mmCIF file of all heavy atoms in Angstrom:
data_model
loop_
_atom_site.group_PDB
_atom_site.id
_atom_site.type_symbol
_atom_site.label_atom_id
_atom_site.label_comp_id
_atom_site.label_asym_id
_atom_site.label_seq_id
_atom_site.Cartn_x
_atom_site.Cartn_y
_atom_site.Cartn_z
ATOM 1 N N MET A 340 67.993 122.419 96.248
ATOM 2 C CA MET A 340 68.633 121.191 95.766
ATOM 3 C C MET A 340 68.972 121.210 94.280
ATOM 4 O O MET A 340 68.934 120.187 93.601
ATOM 5 C CB MET A 340 67.820 119.950 96.166
ATOM 6 C CG MET A 340 67.808 119.779 97.668
ATOM 7 S SD MET A 340 66.761 118.449 98.282
ATOM 8 C CE MET A 340 67.617 116.999 97.732
ATOM 9 N N ARG A 343 73.162 119.118 95.571
ATOM 10 C CA ARG A 343 72.829 118.364 96.779
ATOM 11 C C ARG A 343 73.914 117.306 96.971
ATOM 12 O O ARG A 343 74.758 117.100 96.110
ATOM 13 C CB ARG A 343 71.406 117.787 96.753
ATOM 14 C CG ARG A 343 70.832 117.375 95.458
ATOM 15 C CD ARG A 343 71.422 116.140 94.818
ATOM 16 N NE ARG A 343 71.587 115.046 95.744
ATOM 17 C CZ ARG A 343 72.440 114.061 95.605
ATOM 18 N NH1 ARG A 343 73.273 114.032 94.558
ATOM 19 N NH2 ARG A 343 72.540 113.087 96.471
ATOM 20 N N GLY A 344 73.856 116.648 98.153
ATOM 21 C CA GLY A 344 74.947 115.741 98.517
ATOM 22 C C GLY A 344 75.895 116.505 99.424
ATOM 23 O O GLY A 344 76.274 117.646 99.123
ATOM 24 N N ALA A 345 76.272 115.864 100.544
ATOM 25 C CA ALA A 345 76.992 116.595 101.596
ATOM 26 C C ALA A 345 78.268 117.307 101.109
ATOM 27 O O ALA A 345 78.413 118.522 101.299
ATOM 28 C CB ALA A 345 77.276 115.641 102.757
ATOM 29 N N PRO A 346 79.212 116.599 100.464
ATOM 30 C CA PRO A 346 80.432 117.319 100.049
ATOM 31 C C PRO A 346 80.159 118.377 98.979
ATOM 32 O O PRO A 346 80.801 119.431 98.966
ATOM 33 C CB PRO A 346 81.323 116.207 99.490
ATOM 34 C CG PRO A 346 80.800 114.947 100.120
ATOM 35 C CD PRO A 346 79.320 115.147 100.231
ATOM 36 N N ILE A 348 77.482 120.287 98.619
ATOM 37 C CA ILE A 348 76.942 121.537 99.175
ATOM 38 C C ILE A 348 78.008 122.273 99.996
ATOM 39 O O ILE A 348 77.990 123.499 100.073
ATOM 40 C CB ILE A 348 75.599 121.359 99.947
ATOM 41 C CG1 ILE A 348 75.731 120.502 101.195
ATOM 42 C CG2 ILE A 348 74.521 120.821 99.038
ATOM 43 C CD1 ILE A 348 74.408 120.387 101.994
ATOM 44 N N ARG A 386 70.849 124.417 104.637
ATOM 45 C CA ARG A 386 70.346 123.067 104.963
ATOM 46 C C ARG A 386 70.989 122.630 106.281
ATOM 47 O O ARG A 386 72.179 122.872 106.485
ATOM 48 C CB ARG A 386 70.679 122.043 103.862
ATOM 49 C CG ARG A 386 69.849 122.230 102.593
ATOM 50 C CD ARG A 386 70.026 121.077 101.614
ATOM 51 N NE ARG A 386 69.218 119.926 101.958
ATOM 52 C CZ ARG A 386 69.297 118.741 101.311
ATOM 53 N NH1 ARG A 386 70.161 118.570 100.333
ATOM 54 N NH2 ARG A 386 68.517 117.741 101.670
ATOM 55 N N ALA A 389 73.583 118.020 106.756
ATOM 56 C CA ALA A 389 74.956 117.713 106.313
ATOM 57 C C ALA A 389 75.944 118.662 106.978
ATOM 58 O O ALA A 389 75.918 119.871 106.742
ATOM 59 C CB ALA A 389 75.055 117.813 104.795
ATOM 60 N N HIS A 454 72.094 103.276 98.158
ATOM 61 C CA HIS A 454 70.960 104.151 98.485
ATOM 62 C C HIS A 454 71.293 105.611 98.163
ATOM 63 O O HIS A 454 72.410 106.057 98.379
ATOM 64 C CB HIS A 454 70.639 104.017 99.977
ATOM 65 C CG HIS A 454 69.291 104.588 100.351
ATOM 66 N ND1 HIS A 454 68.107 104.052 99.913
ATOM 67 C CD2 HIS A 454 68.960 105.654 101.119
ATOM 68 C CE1 HIS A 454 67.093 104.763 100.397
ATOM 69 N NE2 HIS A 454 67.582 105.743 101.127
ATOM 70 N N CYS A 455 70.312 106.339 97.660
ATOM 71 C CA CYS A 455 70.420 107.771 97.335
ATOM 72 C C CYS A 455 71.386 107.984 96.165
ATOM 73 O O CYS A 455 71.587 107.105 95.346
ATOM 74 C CB CYS A 455 70.830 108.584 98.564
ATOM 75 S SG CYS A 455 70.549 110.360 98.361
ATOM 76 N N ASN A 456 71.987 109.150 96.080
ATOM 77 C CA ASN A 456 73.063 109.371 95.116
ATOM 78 C C ASN A 456 74.278 109.842 95.877
ATOM 79 O O ASN A 456 74.214 110.816 96.637
ATOM 80 C CB ASN A 456 72.713 110.408 94.051
ATOM 81 C CG ASN A 456 73.939 110.726 93.209
ATOM 82 O OD1 ASN A 456 74.671 111.660 93.507
ATOM 83 N ND2 ASN A 456 74.219 109.932 92.211
ATOM 84 N N THR A 457 75.370 109.121 95.698
ATOM 85 C CA THR A 457 76.609 109.458 96.407
ATOM 86 C C THR A 457 77.757 109.568 95.410
ATOM 87 O O THR A 457 78.914 109.417 95.776
ATOM 88 C CB THR A 457 76.957 108.363 97.430
ATOM 89 O OG1 THR A 457 77.288 107.161 96.701
ATOM 90 C CG2 THR A 457 75.798 108.045 98.371
ATOM 91 N N GLY A 458 77.428 109.819 94.152
ATOM 92 C CA GLY A 458 78.459 109.803 93.121
ATOM 93 C C GLY A 458 79.097 111.159 92.889
ATOM 94 O O GLY A 458 79.110 112.035 93.776
ATOM 95 N N ALA A 461 77.097 114.121 93.917
ATOM 96 C CA ALA A 461 76.932 114.441 95.346
ATOM 97 C C ALA A 461 78.196 115.053 95.944
ATOM 98 O O ALA A 461 78.217 115.442 97.119
ATOM 99 C CB ALA A 461 76.556 113.184 96.124
ATOM 100 N N THR A 462 79.247 115.109 95.123
ATOM 101 C CA THR A 462 80.543 115.606 95.595
ATOM 102 C C THR A 462 81.043 116.608 94.542
ATOM 103 O O THR A 462 80.286 116.998 93.664
ATOM 104 C CB THR A 462 81.530 114.417 95.718
ATOM 105 O OG1 THR A 462 81.658 113.801 94.433
ATOM 106 C CG2 THR A 462 81.035 113.377 96.725
ATOM 107 N N THR A 467 81.434 109.241 96.886
ATOM 108 C CA THR A 467 81.784 108.524 98.129
ATOM 109 C C THR A 467 81.458 107.031 97.931
ATOM 110 O O THR A 467 82.286 106.304 97.406
ATOM 111 C CB THR A 467 81.048 109.135 99.337
ATOM 112 O OG1 THR A 467 79.629 109.059 99.139
ATOM 113 C CG2 THR A 467 81.438 110.584 99.544
ATOM 114 N N GLN A 494 66.613 110.377 94.128
ATOM 115 C CA GLN A 494 68.026 110.589 93.759
ATOM 116 C C GLN A 494 68.645 109.325 93.160
ATOM 117 O O GLN A 494 69.568 109.402 92.361
ATOM 118 C CB GLN A 494 68.848 111.022 94.989
ATOM 119 C CG GLN A 494 68.580 112.422 95.473
ATOM 120 C CD GLN A 494 67.551 112.453 96.575
ATOM 121 O OE1 GLN A 494 66.640 111.634 96.621
ATOM 122 N NE2 GLN A 494 67.658 113.408 97.481
ATOM 123 N N PHE A 532 76.397 102.995 101.290
ATOM 124 C CA PHE A 532 75.759 104.311 101.195
ATOM 125 C C PHE A 532 76.711 105.364 101.738
ATOM 126 O O PHE A 532 77.772 105.025 102.289
ATOM 127 C CB PHE A 532 74.399 104.344 101.913
ATOM 128 C CG PHE A 532 74.365 103.718 103.286
ATOM 129 C CD1 PHE A 532 74.902 104.366 104.382
ATOM 130 C CD2 PHE A 532 73.782 102.461 103.470
ATOM 131 C CE1 PHE A 532 74.860 103.782 105.644
ATOM 132 C CE2 PHE A 532 73.731 101.869 104.732
ATOM 133 C CZ PHE A 532 74.270 102.537 105.817
ATOM 134 N N GLY A 533 76.343 106.634 101.590
ATOM 135 C CA GLY A 533 77.156 107.730 102.118
ATOM 136 C C GLY A 533 76.587 108.200 103.442
ATOM 137 O O GLY A 533 75.849 107.460 104.113
ATOM 138 N N ALA A 534 76.911 109.419 103.831
ATOM 139 C CA ALA A 534 76.325 109.978 105.051
ATOM 140 C C ALA A 534 76.407 111.495 105.003
ATOM 141 O O ALA A 534 77.263 112.057 104.310
ATOM 142 C CB ALA A 534 77.039 109.474 106.293
ATOM 143 N N ASP A 535 75.496 112.106 105.711
ATOM 144 C CA ASP A 535 75.487 113.575 105.819
ATOM 145 C C ASP A 535 76.107 114.045 107.119
ATOM 146 O O ASP A 535 76.567 115.194 107.216
ATOM 147 C CB ASP A 535 74.067 114.093 105.656
ATOM 148 C CG ASP A 535 73.628 113.891 104.213
ATOM 149 O OD1 ASP A 535 73.275 112.747 103.869
ATOM 150 O OD2 ASP A 535 73.707 114.839 103.427
ATOM 151 N N ASN A 545 71.807 109.704 107.239
ATOM 152 C CA ASN A 545 71.872 109.671 105.774
ATOM 153 C C ASN A 545 70.448 109.752 105.229
ATOM 154 O O ASN A 545 69.473 109.784 105.991
ATOM 155 C CB ASN A 545 72.589 108.393 105.302
ATOM 156 C CG ASN A 545 72.874 108.434 103.804
ATOM 157 O OD1 ASN A 545 73.398 109.442 103.298
ATOM 158 N ND2 ASN A 545 72.530 107.400 103.075
ATOM 159 N N LYS A 546 70.341 109.773 103.928
ATOM 160 C CA LYS A 546 69.048 109.917 103.242
ATOM 161 C C LYS A 546 67.990 108.991 103.829
ATOM 162 O O LYS A 546 68.269 107.831 104.121
ATOM 163 C CB LYS A 546 69.267 109.634 101.754
ATOM 164 C CG LYS A 546 68.050 109.716 100.864
ATOM 165 C CD LYS A 546 67.276 110.997 101.013
ATOM 166 C CE LYS A 546 68.124 112.244 100.843
ATOM 167 N NZ LYS A 546 67.468 113.477 101.366
ATOM 168 N N VAL A 566 80.246 105.271 103.610
ATOM 169 C CA VAL A 566 81.496 105.799 103.028
ATOM 170 C C VAL A 566 81.476 107.303 103.207
ATOM 171 O O VAL A 566 80.607 107.995 102.646
ATOM 172 C CB VAL A 566 81.601 105.425 101.534
ATOM 173 C CG1 VAL A 566 82.935 105.891 100.967
ATOM 174 C CG2 VAL A 566 81.425 103.925 101.332
ATOM 175 N N GLU A 585 66.554 117.506 108.813
ATOM 176 C CA GLU A 585 65.779 118.437 107.982
ATOM 177 C C GLU A 585 64.402 117.840 107.665
ATOM 178 O O GLU A 585 64.300 116.675 107.284
ATOM 179 C CB GLU A 585 66.555 118.652 106.670
ATOM 180 C CG GLU A 585 65.850 119.527 105.655
ATOM 181 C CD GLU A 585 66.685 119.648 104.367
ATOM 182 O OE1 GLU A 585 67.635 118.877 104.166
ATOM 183 O OE2 GLU A 585 66.364 120.548 103.570
ATOM 184 N N ALA A 613 63.884 114.367 105.691
ATOM 185 C CA ALA A 613 64.775 114.080 104.557
ATOM 186 C C ALA A 613 65.884 113.084 104.904
ATOM 187 O O ALA A 613 66.532 112.551 104.005
ATOM 188 C CB ALA A 613 65.378 115.380 104.039
ATOM 189 N N PHE A 614 66.098 112.853 106.189
ATOM 190 C CA PHE A 614 67.194 111.965 106.616
ATOM 191 C C PHE A 614 66.722 111.099 107.776
ATOM 192 O O PHE A 614 65.753 111.448 108.462
ATOM 193 C CB PHE A 614 68.410 112.799 107.068
ATOM 194 C CG PHE A 614 68.934 113.687 105.972
ATOM 195 C CD1 PHE A 614 68.510 115.009 105.863
ATOM 196 C CD2 PHE A 614 69.824 113.201 105.030
ATOM 197 C CE1 PHE A 614 68.953 115.826 104.830
ATOM 198 C CE2 PHE A 614 70.275 114.012 103.991
ATOM 199 C CZ PHE A 614 69.849 115.329 103.898
HETATM 200 O O1 MRU B 45 69.089 115.353 100.240
HETATM 201 P P1 MRU B 45 70.371 115.040 99.531
HETATM 202 O O2 MRU B 45 70.166 114.539 98.142
HETATM 203 O O3 MRU B 45 71.366 116.160 99.627
HETATM 204 O O4 MRU B 45 70.966 113.832 100.369
HETATM 205 C C1 MRU B 45 72.202 113.315 100.023
HETATM 206 C C2 MRU B 45 72.535 112.088 100.746
HETATM 207 O O5 MRU B 45 71.823 111.672 101.647
HETATM 208 C C3 MRU B 45 73.819 111.430 100.417
HETATM 209 O O6 MRU B 45 73.695 110.056 100.611
HETATM 210 C C4 MRU B 45 74.906 112.007 101.330
HETATM 211 O O7 MRU B 45 75.070 113.369 101.117
HETATM 212 C C5 MRU B 45 76.199 111.339 101.259
HETATM 213 S S1 MRU B 45 76.886 111.187 99.651
HETATM 214 C C6 MRU B 45 78.033 112.245 99.363
#
Side-chain angles (χ1 to χ4, degrees):
M340 295 175 69
R343 33 70 46 204
I348 64 177
R386 288 189 81 186
H454 195 66
C455 196
N456 172 267
T457 67
T462 59
T467 59
Q494 288 94 328
F532 46 76
D535 290 78
N545 189 48
K546 179 52 53 196
V566 184
E585 176 182 14
F614 300 94

